[in-house]
Amino acid sequence: MLRAQHIETPSWAYGNSGTRFKVFAQRGVPRDPYEKLADAAQVHRFTGVAPTVALHIPWDRVDSYGDLSAYAEDQGVRIGAINSNVFQDDDYMLGSVTHPSPEVRRKALGHLLECVDIMDATGSDTLKLWFSDGTNYPGQDDIRARQDRLFDALEKVYERLGEGQRFLLEYKLFEPAFYATDVPDWGTAYAHCAKLGDKAQVVVDTGHHAPGTNIEFIVAFLLREGKLGGFDFNSRFYADDDLMVGAADPFQLFRIMSEVIAGGGYGPHVAFMLDQCHNIEPKIPGQIRSVMNVQEATAKALLIDRAALATAQREGDVLGANAVFMDAYNTDVRPLLAATREEMGLDPDPMAAYARSGYFEKICADRVGGAQAGWGA
Ligand code: PSV
Ligand code: MN
């Protein structure tokens, strides 16, 4: 079970990132999508469970996607989800697919359809849609008309999807729109996806909820409806912090993985993706640590004695049921994961093995000159 796990890393995690106050440049950072893939391949090399890399368009635009895919394969990885970006162009100040102007809406839709072309060219089966669309002030635009425009665009993208392709609609409570976001929650995303059909599913970004939201409930509900397409994993203390998954609240990650397993979502049909930025920590080790955090939460969730849990639940044994759950969470699974890695022919300690590999020193020496990749490049 653990060996078959598949965690997708994001190309943007390898570039420079920061907050609206400062982007700190780090040494050895990739200058183009090819170098990002080379770094992602290191994460797979040392963990054995990160064989795909998500692209973000236009940040990862290249002349030939066939060539980029071939390069990925050479490095031992594949292209994963294609992430659309209709939030960084001046035209999108008042929205993209929900903008009041038909011209801007046409441009945004054109970009989404281009992303499906890129899926065709790279063999990717998943398109991830996140819209920054919304309004800042009451009365600024018609809330219901914006939903109509959104659905219209989603329907056109849906119709363009080929055999074996799907889109995942991502929701986010707020930011950059502060009054009314057009896809603010799982219910809105679910309602649009349910109307469209099987190729439209919801993606849960763990950083996109109000404080205190029970994310595992959302996971359980969406799985039950066949509408959980995947995760954008990361951690938050406040809002969309994009910190390393499992860092802020490992217990929440365990509870989420427990619902995934209980609901039959542990398999290729649910994408386990990371959506993170490493602003102050080194990027490749940051990704390795994140992958390991997901593995640890998964291993613990797999250890839950489901039969004992079901018995305790049936008998109304509140403390007994909770004890079964907590026993699994409190188990140290690190030796089990180290042994699993050895069985896979890997070093039991991926962090140490990467540090010893000399890869970081090599990229620092090689990647001199050129413009480092970062948000927007
Ligand atoms: C939006 O905050 C988001 O979570 C979406 O997935 C974007 O594509 C991504 O962040 C960019 O990092
Ligand atoms: Mn996300």
Side-chain angles (χ1 to χ4, degrees):
M1 289 287 262
L2 285 169
R3 259 177 283 182
Q5 189 158 31
H6 173 170
I7 300 162
E8 180 162 310
T9 76
S11 70
W12 53 101
Y14 304 98
N16 283 325
S17 62
T19 64
R20 62 202 171 90
F21 299 101
K22 171 72 181 162
V23 171
F24 295 102
Q26 293 193 18
R27 288 191 307 144
V29 158
R31 281 108 16 115
D32 58 41
Y34 289 85
E35 291 180 349
K36 292 181 196 174
L37 287 172
D39 288 3
Q42 298 301 308
V43 178
H44 184 47
R45 178 176 158 207
F46 292 104
T47 63
V49 293
T52 59
V53 190
L55 298 186
H56 215 295
I57 308 297
W59 300 340
D60 295 320
R61 198 166 260 155
V62 289
D63 290 338
S64 164
Y65 291 97
D67 188 58
L68 189 69
S69 301
Y71 179 78
E73 303 248 341
D74 277 355
Q75 298 291 309
V77 290
R78 281 174 286 116
I79 306 290
I82 304 299
N83 288 249
S84 58
N85 181 329
V86 281
F87 52 90
Q88 283 187 315
D89 192 292
D90 283 342
D91 283 338
Y92 300 140
M93 189 168 74
L94 301 181
S96 63
V97 293
T98 70
H99 196 287
S101 148
E103 265 157 65
V104 176
R105 296 206 293 274
R106 246 192 313 277
K107 171 173 165 167
L109 176 63
H111 171 73
L112 304 182
L113 298 177
E114 180 203 348
C115 286
V116 185
D117 293 340
I118 295 171
M119 291 167 73
D120 291 341
T122 55
S124 164
D125 61 5
T126 301
L127 172 66
K128 184 131 58 76
L129 302 172
W130 174 69
F131 300 105
S132 62
D133 297 40
T135 51
N136 270 6
Y137 296 99
Q140 182 190 320
D141 198 6
D142 182 325
I143 291 176
R144 283 175 303 136
R146 291 178 79 93
Q147 288 300 314
D148 293 343
R149 297 171 203 148
L150 170 67
F151 187 74
D152 191 54
L154 292 175
E155 198 172 30
K156 293 196 167 87
V157 177
Y158 191 90
E159 280 161 11
R160 165 68 183 82
L161 292 173
E163 195 63 35
Q165 294 179 337
R166 62 174 176 168
F167 76 58
L168 307 184
L169 180 57
E170 182 170 352
Y171 58 91
K172 174 166 157 168
L173 180 60
F174 78 103
E175 197 200 18
F178 293 112
Y179 165 59
T181 295
D182 292 325
V183 190
D185 54 22
W186 70 270
T188 310
Y190 170 78
H192 284 291
C193 291
K195 249 191 210 164
L196 287 167
D198 291 347
K199 293 178 174 181
Q201 291 180 304
V202 181
V203 57
V204 175
D205 184 311
T206 44
H208 288 186
H209 308 85
T213 300
N214 182 334
I215 299 176
E216 59 271 28
F217 174 84
I218 299 170
V219 168
F221 189 95
L222 290 175
L223 266 175
R224 198 170 168 275
E225 298 295 326
K227 281 294 180 196
L228 181 71
F231 290 94
D232 266 6
F233 277 135
N234 50 54
S235 277
R236 49 160 273 165
F237 288 104
Y238 298 98
D240 194 19
D241 305 356
D242 282 342
L243 299 174
M244 292 188 303
V245 58
D249 189 349
F251 184 45
Q252 181 190 60
L253 183 60
F254 163 77
R255 298 192 313 261
I256 290 172
M257 289 312 301
S258 167
E259 282 309 325
V260 167
I261 291 162
Y266 189 59
H269 48 295
V270 173
F272 299 98
M273 301 173 285
L274 306 182
D275 177 9
Q276 299 181 180
C277 294
H278 303 294
N279 302 344
I280 60 168
E281 65 275 25
K283 293 155 196 308
I284 298 171
Q287 286 288 292
I288 293 175
R289 169 61 69 205
S290 304
V291 167
M292 292 171 71
N293 287 351
V294 176
Q295 287 184 297
E296 283 176 25
T298 307
K300 289 179 182 206
L302 286 167
L303 281 180
I304 296 172
D305 184 339
R306 297 277 166 190
L309 186 64
T311 304
Q313 289 174 345
R314 215 173 26 248
E315 291 173 355
D317 180 359
V318 175
L319 293 179
N322 183 242
V324 171
F325 204 71
M326 296 310 295
D327 270 351
Y329 178 64
N330 288 321
T331 306
D332 184 358
V333 293
R334 289 172 300 178
L336 168 72
L337 283 163
T340 305
R341 289 187 191 106
E342 277 179 324
E343 279 166 33
M344 292 166 75
L346 298 168
D347 192 291
D349 182 348
M351 294 291 283
Y354 170 74
R356 275 196 315 270
S357 72
Y359 184 80
F360 180 62
E361 291 71 18
K362 185 173 166 358
I363 55 178
C364 288
D366 289 353
R367 294 177 185 170
V368 177
Q372 291 189 321
W375 260 56

